mmCIF file of all heavy atoms in Angstrom:
data_model
loop_
_atom_site.group_PDB
_atom_site.id
_atom_site.type_symbol
_atom_site.label_atom_id
_atom_site.label_comp_id
_atom_site.label_asym_id
_atom_site.label_seq_id
_atom_site.Cartn_x
_atom_site.Cartn_y
_atom_site.Cartn_z
ATOM 1 N N ALA A 115 17.834 -36.918 3.304
ATOM 2 C CA ALA A 115 17.682 -35.878 4.324
ATOM 3 C C ALA A 115 16.446 -35.000 3.990
ATOM 4 O O ALA A 115 16.245 -33.992 4.637
ATOM 5 C CB ALA A 115 18.933 -34.968 4.327
ATOM 6 N N VAL A 116 15.661 -35.428 3.045
ATOM 7 C CA VAL A 116 14.529 -34.640 2.590
ATOM 8 C C VAL A 116 13.274 -35.492 2.703
ATOM 9 O O VAL A 116 13.262 -36.597 2.165
ATOM 10 C CB VAL A 116 14.722 -34.280 1.118
ATOM 11 C CG1 VAL A 116 13.543 -33.451 0.588
ATOM 12 C CG2 VAL A 116 16.033 -33.558 0.866
ATOM 13 N N GLN A 117 12.290 -34.990 3.392
ATOM 14 C CA GLN A 117 10.964 -35.649 3.316
ATOM 15 C C GLN A 117 9.998 -34.715 2.633
ATOM 16 O O GLN A 117 9.977 -34.634 1.439
ATOM 17 C CB GLN A 117 10.520 -36.114 4.672
ATOM 18 C CG GLN A 117 11.332 -37.347 5.161
ATOM 19 C CD GLN A 117 10.830 -37.917 6.467
ATOM 20 O OE1 GLN A 117 9.670 -37.894 6.784
ATOM 21 N NE2 GLN A 117 11.788 -38.461 7.238
ATOM 22 N N CYS A 118 9.247 -33.939 3.390
ATOM 23 C CA CYS A 118 8.322 -33.019 2.691
ATOM 24 C C CYS A 118 9.081 -31.923 1.993
ATOM 25 O O CYS A 118 8.584 -31.294 1.066
ATOM 26 C CB CYS A 118 7.312 -32.443 3.670
ATOM 27 S SG CYS A 118 7.883 -30.959 4.568
ATOM 28 N N GLY A 119 10.291 -31.648 2.423
ATOM 29 C CA GLY A 119 11.152 -30.696 1.726
ATOM 30 C C GLY A 119 10.935 -29.250 2.038
ATOM 31 O O GLY A 119 11.643 -28.376 1.497
ATOM 32 N N PHE A 120 9.991 -28.946 2.912
ATOM 33 C CA PHE A 120 9.700 -27.526 3.156
ATOM 34 C C PHE A 120 10.829 -26.839 3.897
ATOM 35 O O PHE A 120 11.126 -25.664 3.660
ATOM 36 C CB PHE A 120 8.381 -27.387 3.905
ATOM 37 C CG PHE A 120 7.734 -26.052 3.701
ATOM 38 C CD1 PHE A 120 6.956 -25.813 2.572
ATOM 39 C CD2 PHE A 120 7.943 -24.985 4.574
ATOM 40 C CE1 PHE A 120 6.373 -24.574 2.367
ATOM 41 C CE2 PHE A 120 7.362 -23.732 4.364
ATOM 42 C CZ PHE A 120 6.576 -23.544 3.248
ATOM 43 N N CYS A 121 11.513 -27.553 4.782
ATOM 44 C CA CYS A 121 12.640 -26.977 5.504
ATOM 45 C C CYS A 121 13.917 -27.032 4.643
ATOM 46 O O CYS A 121 14.935 -26.448 5.009
ATOM 47 C CB CYS A 121 12.890 -27.738 6.790
ATOM 48 S SG CYS A 121 13.549 -29.379 6.549
ATOM 49 N N THR A 122 13.889 -27.802 3.567
ATOM 50 C CA THR A 122 15.097 -28.188 2.875
ATOM 51 C C THR A 122 15.895 -27.040 2.310
ATOM 52 O O THR A 122 17.160 -26.960 2.532
ATOM 53 C CB THR A 122 14.775 -29.243 1.804
ATOM 54 O OG1 THR A 122 14.086 -30.342 2.424
ATOM 55 C CG2 THR A 122 16.058 -29.748 1.119
ATOM 56 N N LEU A 152 14.115 -25.510 11.880
ATOM 57 C CA LEU A 152 13.230 -26.559 12.321
ATOM 58 C C LEU A 152 12.898 -27.511 11.193
ATOM 59 O O LEU A 152 12.711 -27.078 10.059
ATOM 60 C CB LEU A 152 11.920 -25.966 12.878
ATOM 61 C CG LEU A 152 12.031 -25.129 14.104
ATOM 62 C CD1 LEU A 152 10.677 -24.501 14.503
ATOM 63 C CD2 LEU A 152 12.568 -25.931 15.294
ATOM 64 N N CYS A 153 12.823 -28.770 11.544
ATOM 65 C CA CYS A 153 12.290 -29.769 10.599
ATOM 66 C C CYS A 153 11.290 -30.596 11.331
ATOM 67 O O CYS A 153 11.556 -31.100 12.437
ATOM 68 C CB CYS A 153 13.420 -30.659 10.045
ATOM 69 S SG CYS A 153 12.780 -31.966 8.988
ATOM 70 N N ARG A 154 10.093 -30.758 10.766
ATOM 71 C CA ARG A 154 9.064 -31.529 11.452
ATOM 72 C C ARG A 154 9.070 -32.981 10.986
ATOM 73 O O ARG A 154 8.461 -33.824 11.643
ATOM 74 C CB ARG A 154 7.678 -30.910 11.112
ATOM 75 C CG ARG A 154 6.496 -31.454 11.893
ATOM 76 C CD ARG A 154 6.754 -31.472 13.382
ATOM 77 N NE ARG A 154 5.537 -31.426 14.154
ATOM 78 C CZ ARG A 154 5.486 -31.685 15.477
ATOM 79 N NH1 ARG A 154 6.583 -32.028 16.123
ATOM 80 N NH2 ARG A 154 4.358 -31.578 16.124
ATOM 81 N N CYS A 155 9.781 -33.232 9.916
ATOM 82 C CA CYS A 155 9.654 -34.583 9.310
ATOM 83 C C CYS A 155 10.765 -35.560 9.697
ATOM 84 O O CYS A 155 10.546 -36.713 9.925
ATOM 85 C CB CYS A 155 9.633 -34.506 7.801
ATOM 86 S SG CYS A 155 8.315 -33.501 7.112
ATOM 87 N N THR A 156 11.993 -35.088 9.677
ATOM 88 C CA THR A 156 13.141 -36.013 9.623
ATOM 89 C C THR A 156 13.755 -36.357 10.997
ATOM 90 O O THR A 156 14.510 -37.317 11.079
ATOM 91 C CB THR A 156 14.295 -35.463 8.800
ATOM 92 O OG1 THR A 156 14.813 -34.286 9.467
ATOM 93 C CG2 THR A 156 13.858 -35.068 7.419
ATOM 94 N N ILE A 161 19.746 -35.408 8.070
ATOM 95 C CA ILE A 161 20.320 -34.083 7.686
ATOM 96 C C ILE A 161 21.724 -33.962 8.196
ATOM 97 O O ILE A 161 22.638 -33.555 7.469
ATOM 98 C CB ILE A 161 19.402 -32.918 8.212
ATOM 99 C CG1 ILE A 161 18.032 -33.020 7.516
ATOM 100 C CG2 ILE A 161 20.058 -31.595 7.970
ATOM 101 C CD1 ILE A 161 17.009 -31.999 8.046
ATOM 102 N N LEU B 194 5.716 -27.737 8.685
ATOM 103 C CA LEU B 194 6.507 -26.535 8.338
ATOM 104 C C LEU B 194 5.811 -25.723 7.234
ATOM 105 O O LEU B 194 5.885 -24.517 7.168
ATOM 106 C CB LEU B 194 7.917 -26.973 7.927
ATOM 107 C CG LEU B 194 9.005 -26.776 8.945
ATOM 108 C CD1 LEU B 194 9.693 -25.432 8.819
ATOM 109 C CD2 LEU B 194 8.496 -26.900 10.370
ATOM 110 N N GLY B 244 3.637 -29.673 2.368
ATOM 111 C CA GLY B 244 4.734 -29.360 3.312
ATOM 112 C C GLY B 244 4.511 -29.975 4.665
ATOM 113 O O GLY B 244 4.586 -29.288 5.669
ATOM 114 N N GLY B 245 4.230 -31.255 4.687
ATOM 115 C CA GLY B 245 3.967 -31.966 5.915
ATOM 116 C C GLY B 245 2.470 -32.271 6.067
ATOM 117 O O GLY B 245 1.636 -31.398 5.864
HETATM 118 S S1 LIG C 22 11.531 -32.327 5.503
HETATM 119 FE FE1 LIG C 22 9.546 -31.659 6.159
HETATM 120 S S2 LIG C 22 10.038 -30.064 7.468
HETATM 121 FE FE2 LIG C 22 11.950 -30.907 7.058
#
Side-chain angles (χ1 to χ4, degrees):
Chain A
V116 180
Q117 287 184 33
C118 85
F120 204 83
C121 71
T122 305
L152 295 176
C153 175
R154 189 52 154 167
C155 302
T156 66
I161 295 175
Chain B
L194 259 268

